[in-house]
Amino acid sequence: DSNPDKMAALRAFGAELLEHGRDFDEAREYVEGVALREGWRYVHNANEPLLIAGVGTYASEIFDALERVDFVFVPIGGGSGAAGCGIVRDGLGRSTRIVGVQAHRADAFARSWRGPTRVTCERAETFAEGIATRTTFDLTFSMLKASLDDVVALEESELREGVAAAIQFTHNLAEGAGAAALVAARRYGVPKDATVVCVMSGGNADMRTLRHTLA
């Protein structure tokens, strides 16, 4: 049930796209086996230092642009974005609170971060495919266990509300994962004088999702 617009865009860029499995994690496990067998360079969605460094550049831009940042809300799927925010915050010696955002129906990271052991979910039943992961990943989890200040898990209705709110109030098209930070910030109850940054991490909302969300 992958996003058809994302798949079309990948093919338009010239990628050879292989579809496999019922969800992101089954596809990931499949490609890990193929990469090992074929000798491919596999770019992991989380256990990849260069990826974390790359997405961390947006955190650098945030702190360059704003002298004061009290909160950064950032969606967590694999966790690379939140990990990058933590690295930059700590490197600059800022006191900003980094708050991760998940979906209740795909909350393996939230439960693992709060609890004594890491957990894996049987299913990730959220329309927000950017955060629809069923497990945690070694590199990013270890980083976020040390640097993340809090995590919020949202219901599907809240995520859909976020997509509509992003259009109404910011005039940006955000997919479910991209709008998650906006909803989390509104729900979190930050002080009125706080400087809050919401990471809008993707705008690949397909037409079927938009129709259902905005209805």
Side-chain angles (χ1 to χ4, degrees), residues 68-90:
R68 172 186 167 188
V69 182
D70 298 303
F71 294 86
V72 173
F73 290 86
V74 54
I76 293 181
S80 59
C85 288
I87 290 173
V88 175
R89 188 254 337 252
D90 294 346

Side-chain angles (χ1 to χ4, degrees), residues 171-212:
H171 306 291
N172 284 289
L173 175 61
E175 60 185 272
L182 181 62
V183 182
R186 295 174 70 189
R187 201 183 90 175
Y188 201 74
V190 299
K192 288 186 177 180
D193 62 344
T195 300
V196 179
V197 172
C198 299
V199 176
M200 192 175 289
S201 58
N204 294 297
D206 60 87
M207 291 302 294
R208 62 181 180 176
T209 301
L210 277 177
R211 280 193 294 266
H212 182 64

Side-chain angles (χ1 to χ4, degrees), residues 1-2 7 17-35 40 42-45 132 134 137:
D1 196 34
S2 298
M7 292 192 292
L17 184 61
L18 307 178
E19 297 179 60
H20 181 89
R22 65 183 170 92
D23 60 16
F24 171 81
D25 285 298
E26 281 195 2
R28 173 184 55 78
E29 290 165 1
Y30 173 75
V31 77
E32 286 171 359
V34 173
W40 292 348
Y42 173 48
V43 181
H44 196 279
N45 66 299
R134 293 188 280 110
F137 303 98

Side-chain angles (χ1 to χ4, degrees), residues 123-190:
R123 306 188 69 83
E125 297 178 322
T126 175
F127 82 95
E129 68 266 17
I131 52 177
T133 51
R134 293 188 280 110
T135 189
T136 58
F137 303 98
D138 293 342
L139 179 58
T140 49
F141 184 80
S142 63
M143 296 169 70
L144 291 171
K145 189 69 174 176
S147 66
L148 196 70
D149 293 287
D150 204 355
V151 61
V152 176
L154 301 173
E155 301 289 353
E156 293 300 287
S157 59
E158 293 177 300
L159 291 166
R160 295 189 188 282
E161 174 193 335
V163 174
I167 293 173
Q168 182 178 359
F169 298 117
T170 77
H171 306 291
N172 284 289
L173 175 61
E175 60 185 272
L182 181 62
V183 182
R186 295 174 70 189
R187 201 183 90 175
Y188 201 74
V190 299

Side-chain angles (χ1 to χ4, degrees), residues 83-103:
C85 288
I87 290 173
V88 175
R89 188 254 337 252
D90 294 346
L92 295 175
R94 298 289 194 100
S95 59
T96 306
R97 289 178 61 82
I98 309 295
V99 181
V101 189
Q102 286 224 290

